[in-house]
Amino acid sequence: MLERLWNEGSWIVLGFYFFLFLLSLAKGAAPERICAGILLIIPFIDQLHHQALGGSIIYREVDLGHMLIDVLVFCSLLTVALHANRVYPLWLGAAQIIAVITHFYRMSLPDIDQFAYQEMQVMSAYIQIAAITLGLWCHVARRKRHGSYPSWRRTAAAEPAAGWDMPAS
């Protein structure tokens, strides 16, 4: 059973990403939709990467295309996490850091087992599925309890700091 789960893991992850994206369209707000969309697009970018290059560019046992994809996904999730009025995008970003660091770890220690390298990448996807599921559930529950609330944080630059008076013009 577990062997089948590992062998078909990418299809399971894609199925969860697709389901969570549809659920976020129906029940979520902008941060949920953006985060679910980012996660959903990863497998398609990966396929495009492999088709465009006709293979992988490997440097010190690391697929540089996968590394670039993981870095771009991390930057995207970090942008959402810094602006969203939610906690779970930080969890998504933390899981993505694991995926990014895995590449650097493999690059610095090429002796690491290939299975361990791949599992470190796959486990971050499972963590992200759990995080966005919990985040979406919390968002729906909060909206039921308190009604509508802002999806994005207000920036500190938009308002003066407390206790500081603006000079009269």
Side-chain angles (χ1 to χ4, degrees):
M1 173 83 174
L2 282 177
E3 183 177 330
R4 184 173 181 194
L5 178 65
W6 292 121
N7 291 337
E8 297 178 7
S10 61
W11 288 104
I12 293 169
V13 168
L14 181 60
F16 271 109
Y17 284 166
F18 186 70
F19 173 73
L20 290 169
F21 179 72
L22 292 178
L23 195 59
S24 70
L25 288 177
K27 301 282 186 178
E32 288 77 27
R33 293 177 187 142
I34 293 170
C35 288
I38 290 169
L39 295 179
L40 179 62
I41 202 167
I42 295 170
F44 297 105
I45 292 174
D46 182 56
Q47 284 300 313
L48 182 66
H49 150 255
H50 286 290
Q51 290 175 359
L53 296 178
S56 300
I57 299 173
I58 306 294
Y59 174 73
R60 294 186 61 129
E61 306 293 326
V62 173
D63 184 332
L64 295 180
H66 287 170
M67 185 172 146
L68 178 63
I69 292 168
D70 284 337
V71 167
L72 292 174
V73 168
F74 171 70
C75 291
S76 301
L77 291 172
L78 179 64
T79 301
V80 174
L82 292 175
H83 297 287
N85 187 23
R86 314 278 196 274
V87 173
Y88 78 90
L90 295 170
W91 303 342
L92 295 174
Q96 193 62 32
I97 287 174
I98 295 170
V100 170
I101 289 175
T102 299
H103 298 295
F104 291 107
Y105 184 63
R106 175 75 172 177
M107 200 177 289
S108 65
L109 293 171
D111 297 343
I112 185 176
D113 184 49
Q114 180 70 20
F115 178 77
Y117 171 59
Q118 290 172 345
E119 290 312 305
M120 286 171 66
Q121 290 179 314
V122 170
M123 288 311 293
S124 65
Y126 292 128
I127 293 168
Q128 288 173 327
I129 288 170
I132 197 166
T133 301
L134 184 61
L136 187 57
W137 180 76
C138 288
H139 165 72
V140 170
R142 182 177 178 187
R143 199 165 52 186
K144 279 183 181 176
R145 274 194 320 268
H146 303 292
S148 184
Y149 66 99
S151 294
W152 306 103
R153 294 184 183 130
R154 294 188 339 185
T155 60
E159 56 190 60
W164 290 77
D165 292 328
M166 297 297 290
S169 16

